[in-house]
Amino acid sequence: MQDQLKLDNFICFAVYTASHALNRVYKPLLETLGLTYPQYLAMVSLWEQDGQTVGGLGEKLFLESSTLTPLLKRLETAGYVRRERSREDERVVVIRLSEEGIRLKEKAIGIPGCIAAASGRDAVDLTRLQAEIVALREALNRSVV
Amino acid sequence: MQDQLKLDNFICFAVYTASHALNRVYKPLLETLGLTYPQYLAMVSLWEQDGQTVGGLGEKLFLESSTLTPLLKRLETAGYVRRERSREDERVVVIRLSEEGIRLKEKAIGIPGCIAAASGRDAVDLTRLQAEIVALREALNRSVV
DNA sequence: CGTTTTTATATCGCGCACGATTTATTATCG
DNA sequence: CGATAATAAATCGTGCGCGATATAAAAACG
């Protein structure tokens, strides 16, 4: 049990460093789109469903408004989205893709394939691993609440 | 192939959100030690091997000096480590645990068990998943270089 | 042996990421 | 209806995390 406190045996360390490794693979690909990695995730979510609220995006991306508000302002400055207060409920801010934001999707379509290639795994294997990691995330989120 | 650009099918998104979920589980545990999560990882590495250089730590933790230098200064301010320039090579900074830093290990010993419990998996299963994620990280790191 | 190159760390600027708080709006309750 | 509570974003302060650059020391070279 000596190795209880060895870094290489930490699932957390594996996830932490894998996350950084993914970021490093993504960075050069996303630079061509003028996006950071979290900005890219927000765009992907908006391509799936346009007109989401800040809170709705936060729930999907597991991010707080304190993270999203400045991020979305940068996306607005970049010209990819518009931020509009809802008329029905003035507390809510709705995020809508601009024309340029919609067009960006075409340039982004190839990225997941690049990542899959870099991972050196086939699609089936990746899907299985991805499901396992999601299950881990869900178990952890349940334990906090 | 419509779902090529769906967030839930992204391995990167799974890892990204799992990493945040782990951080949320760790946070309250680490607060009792007065450490952040990256600081904790640095301490674990030092408990394994005291007297590492900034560069050596960076290689183990996959972090740059621009991240580590301020982090280690904060650990020094907290009284857990000392930063000393090597006499043989004045470019190198060696990090040594203080008495308090050494003692902290006892308080940290139970944390991995808490995380394992929160994950809801047995040790064997966690080890297997951890190895898979490490393999993913290594494949990604190879593809960048 | 002096110049150039390499190496190790530090500094700077930017963008997350979060907890705590603030502000504005809506909902609830007596 | 008016006071209170709840909700949605925004703001603020702190700590990563990295690329680019700076600084200083050591190594390599002619």
Side-chain angles (χ1 to χ4, degrees):
Chain A
M1 291 302 120
Q2 270 299 71
D3 43 32
Q4 274 293 81
L5 269 178
K6 279 196 73 177
L7 216 45
D8 288 339
N9 299 334
F10 281 30
I11 183 98
C12 65
F13 183 61
V15 173
Y16 171 81
T17 52
S19 182
H20 291 169
L22 275 164
N23 215 325
R24 278 190 280 273
V25 177
Y26 265 102
K27 190 155 231 175
L29 300 172
L30 292 177
E31 255 162 22
T32 67
L33 310 186
L35 293 176
T36 67
Y37 182 61
Q39 287 168 10
Y40 167 69
L41 293 178
M43 290 299 289
V44 170
S45 186
L46 288 167
W47 287 327
E48 271 187 64
Q49 185 189 337
D50 197 0
Q52 293 186 70
T53 66
V54 173
L57 270 171
E59 230 168 285
K60 285 202 180 164
L61 301 174
F62 300 90
L63 295 175
E64 306 296 320
S65 73
S66 44
T67 302
L68 274 176
T69 296
L71 184 153
L72 293 168
K73 281 185 178 176
R74 281 186 282 271
L75 283 179
E76 188 176 43
T77 303
Y80 292 140
V81 306
R82 274 187 295 274
R83 299 161 59 250
E84 301 163 359
R85 290 239 166 230
S86 162
R87 231 95 57 195
E88 307 94 67
D89 185 341
E90 288 277 342
R91 293 171 301 183
V92 171
V93 168
V94 177
I95 312 298
R96 297 191 197 286
L97 291 165
S98 68
E99 287 303 316
E100 202 180 341
I102 293 169
R103 273 197 301 275
L104 196 65
K105 183 176 180 178
E106 298 313 312
K107 292 176 72 179
I109 203 88
I111 291 181
C114 296
I115 305 302
S119 78
R121 289 158 176 260
D122 62 46
V124 176
D125 199 33
L126 266 183
T127 302
R128 183 189 51 72
L129 181 54
Q130 188 256 356
E132 281 212 78
I133 297 170
V134 167
L136 174 67
R137 177 189 76 201
E138 294 307 315
L140 292 168
N141 280 341
R142 270 194 301 279
S143 84
V144 180
V145 175
Chain B
M1 291 303 120
Q2 271 298 71
D3 44 32
Q4 274 292 81
L5 269 178
K6 278 196 71 175
L7 217 44
D8 289 339
N9 299 334
F10 280 30
I11 183 98
C12 66
F13 183 63
V15 173
Y16 170 82
T17 53
S19 183
H20 290 170
L22 276 164
N23 215 324
R24 277 190 282 272
V25 177
Y26 265 103
K27 190 156 231 174
L29 300 172
L30 292 177
E31 256 162 22
T32 68
L33 310 186
L35 294 176
T36 66
Y37 182 62
Q39 287 168 9
Y40 167 69
L41 293 178
M43 290 299 288
V44 170
S45 187
L46 287 167
W47 289 326
E48 272 187 64
Q49 185 189 338
D50 198 0
Q52 293 185 71
T53 66
V54 172
L57 271 170
E59 230 168 284
K60 287 201 181 166
L61 301 174
F62 300 89
L63 295 175
E64 304 297 319
S65 73
S66 45
T67 301
L68 274 176
T69 295
L71 184 153
L72 294 168
K73 282 185 177 176
R74 282 185 282 270
L75 283 179
E76 189 176 43
T77 303
Y80 292 139
V81 306
R82 274 187 295 275
R83 298 162 59 250
E84 301 163 359
R85 291 240 164 230
S86 161
R87 230 94 58 196
E88 307 94 67
D89 185 340
E90 289 277 340
R91 292 171 302 180
V92 171
V93 169
V94 177
I95 312 298
R96 297 192 197 286
L97 290 166
S98 68
E99 288 304 315
E100 202 179 343
I102 293 169
R103 273 197 300 275
L104 197 65
K105 184 176 180 179
E106 300 313 312
K107 291 176 72 179
I109 204 88
I111 291 181
C114 296
I115 305 301
S119 78
R121 289 158 175 262
D122 63 47
V124 175
D125 197 34
L126 266 182
T127 302
R128 183 191 50 72
L129 181 53
Q130 189 255 355
E132 280 211 80
I133 297 170
V134 167
L136 174 67
R137 176 189 76 202
E138 293 308 316
L140 291 168
N141 280 342
R142 269 194 303 279
S143 84
V144 181
V145 175

